[in-house]
Amino acid sequence: MAPKSKAAKTSAASSPATAPFNAGSAVEISPDDKGFRGSLFTGKIIRRLPKDRILVEYDTLMDDESGSKRLREVLKLYQLRPIPPTETSREFKFGDEVDAYHNDGWWEGHITEECGNGRFAVYFRVSREQIVFHKEELRLHREWVNENWVPSFPQKQEEEKVLLKPNVMSAETVASDVKSAQTVRPNVKPVGNVTREERFSIGTPVEVSRDKEGFQGALFCATVVQVIGKRKFLVEYQSLLAGDDSQLLREEVNTHQIRPHPPKTVADGHFSLLEEVDAFHNDGWWVGMVSKVLDNSGYIVYFRNKNEELEFQHSQLRKHQDWIDGKWFMASKVWHYD
């Protein structure tokens, strides 16, 4: 459903190397293949191999077209995590970061609309699509950091028996209301009748997400230098250099890779624990989550795409916002672009 790049080596701060992942253990797996970024699939450990490699067998991914043989794969330890406890009677709301059960796995997104009757529209940042799900197909998104769930589960939930498969509604029940979680257009509209080409005319400052390995989860400042047809632009980056380092890099980008500069948000002097932020690093803005608040305006930020943590000062961070059909979204606010 969404592209996935090879994960970078995990940092010592976030490594699950000491987790009790033994033969027969039920786990959730982050596949290391293009097209699976932001997904988790259930499976079990077959055996441990040298150099922190593990042979796993998926529960729902098959190795043949007939669907008679489950896929087995040798993975790195950082691609595995325990099965999270099951939460009961979970209430969801606009802005929640969630995992949605879709295409045999859990996919990370956030709620952009409450549709009524226990249904919610979930937006997936990487694929830039929105799909409607029943609440039984959702769970609050959590990361496995230092052998702990972030955010943590209530104590009574941690003591419950974990399930190997999600507790979703029957296919017939889901189909009756949402037609098997069909894709829909986000329920937001651009301001006025301004087309994307008019909004991003020559000379417009923009932010660009690059479709290259190693740059997932990053946005780079650039300027539009040419409008190419209806779905392409030529941009010149403000900080990235061409191969010979003699001039600024120019690159053709598709319409889904480009967005305006986000509006400045009203700062309250600090960022909160678990808040989603953009951190300025390696000439770009990288989306992450505050995993620890330090003294002297410092923060530890966790980057799930690379499974690592880095330290930043307050001045190097900004609140993360998503650009969806002409409006800015963050956890609890909607910003209009005028």
Side-chain angles (χ1 to χ4, degrees):
M1 187 176 79
K4 179 181 175 70
S5 65
K6 278 188 175 283
K9 284 187 176 180
T10 180
S11 66
S14 59
S15 173
T18 58
F21 293 147
N22 301 316
S25 297
V27 291
E28 286 192 339
I29 304 160
S30 176
D32 206 14
D33 300 306
K34 187 175 181 180
F36 288 89
R37 180 187 169 198
S39 67
L40 287 160
F41 293 83
T42 60
K44 66 179 180 180
I45 294 175
I46 302 302
R47 68 176 66 93
R48 298 194 63 151
L49 304 172
K51 298 182 180 179
D52 280 340
R53 295 181 304 148
I54 296 180
L55 176 64
V56 301
E57 181 179 273
Y58 291 90
D59 289 335
T60 57
L61 298 185
M62 299 297 160
D63 199 26
D64 56 358
E65 294 184 0
S66 65
S68 60
K69 182 180 179 182
R70 288 190 176 92
L71 176 64
R72 289 190 174 190
E73 196 170 28
V74 176
L75 301 175
K76 291 291 188 178
L77 190 58
Y78 64 76
Q79 295 176 257
L80 307 181
R81 71 182 206 174
I83 302 288
T86 302
E87 285 190 285
T88 58
S89 303
R90 176 77 198 183
E91 296 298 328
F92 298 99
K93 63 182 184 301
F94 171 83
D96 279 349
E97 189 172 14
V98 296
D99 296 331
Y101 193 74
H102 185 62
N103 287 345
D104 299 321
W106 292 101
W107 299 80
E108 179 189 348
H110 67 265
I111 294 175
T112 53
E113 184 181 353
E114 298 180 31
C115 304
N117 297 322
R119 298 178 301 143
F120 297 88
V122 177
Y123 175 72
F124 301 96
R125 181 182 302 124
V126 175
S127 60
R128 290 174 172 81
E129 64 180 333
Q130 182 168 276
I131 300 176
V132 174
F133 294 90
H134 271 269
K135 64 180 181 180
E136 289 83 2
E137 299 174 289
L138 303 177
R139 69 184 185 188
L140 188 67
H141 178 77
R142 287 179 166 88
E143 301 286 346
W144 178 247
V145 183
N146 292 332
E147 299 185 48
N148 291 288
W149 293 108
V150 181
S152 61
F153 284 90
Q155 183 64 30
K156 65 178 182 179
Q157 295 289 352
E158 292 190 7
E159 294 173 353
E160 290 183 354
K161 179 181 178 181
V162 298
L163 302 179
L164 297 184
K165 294 185 180 179
N167 181 21
V168 300
M169 297 180 65
S170 67
E172 293 180 356
T173 303
V174 174
S176 64
D177 285 332
V178 293
K179 296 182 180 179
S180 299
Q182 61 182 335
T183 302
V184 297
R185 293 287 296 172
N187 189 25
V188 291
K189 296 180 180 180
V191 178
N193 295 318
V194 180
T195 66
R196 185 178 294 269
E197 288 74 18
E198 291 170 336
R199 180 178 293 136
F200 299 136
S201 56
I202 295 175
T204 301
V206 293
E207 290 188 342
V208 181
S209 59
R210 304 189 70 202
D211 282 345
K212 295 184 181 296
E213 186 173 350
F215 290 92
Q216 287 79 12
L219 288 158
F220 296 88
C221 296
T223 303
V224 176
V225 296
Q226 185 180 352
V227 178
I228 306 174
K230 294 184 178 181
R231 296 185 176 276
K232 282 192 176 182
F233 303 87
L234 179 65
V235 300
E236 182 178 86
Y237 292 96
Q238 295 180 11
S239 57
L240 299 183
L241 299 176
D244 58 2
D245 293 341
S246 63
Q247 57 186 355
L248 293 173
L249 175 65
R250 290 192 173 192
E251 192 172 45
E252 287 188 12
V253 296
N254 294 320
T255 185
H256 70 272
Q257 297 175 253
I258 195 170
R259 73 179 205 173
H261 279 293
K264 293 183 179 180
T265 57
V266 179
D268 57 6
H270 70 277
F271 295 98
S272 303
L273 184 66
L274 306 183
E275 184 171 0
E276 195 171 27
V277 296
D278 295 333
F280 194 76
H281 179 62
N282 287 344
D283 298 319
W285 292 100
W286 300 76
V287 60
M289 178 185 68
V290 175
S291 59
K292 187 175 182 180
V293 179
L294 306 175
D295 296 331
N296 301 320
S297 298
Y299 302 88
I300 301 296
V301 177
Y302 173 69
F303 300 95
R304 65 179 59 92
N305 287 333
K306 294 187 176 182
N307 198 20
E308 66 177 351
E309 291 178 314
L310 296 173
E311 183 176 344
F312 295 90
Q313 291 298 304
H314 185 277
S315 60
Q316 297 173 289
L317 303 179
R318 69 184 186 186
K319 292 179 181 291
H320 178 76
Q321 300 176 70
D322 284 307
W323 171 252
I324 309 173
D325 277 2
K327 289 185 180 181
W328 289 104
F329 281 80
M330 59 183 185
S332 59
K333 297 179 181 179
V334 181
W335 298 84
H336 292 262
Y337 177 70
D338 297 315

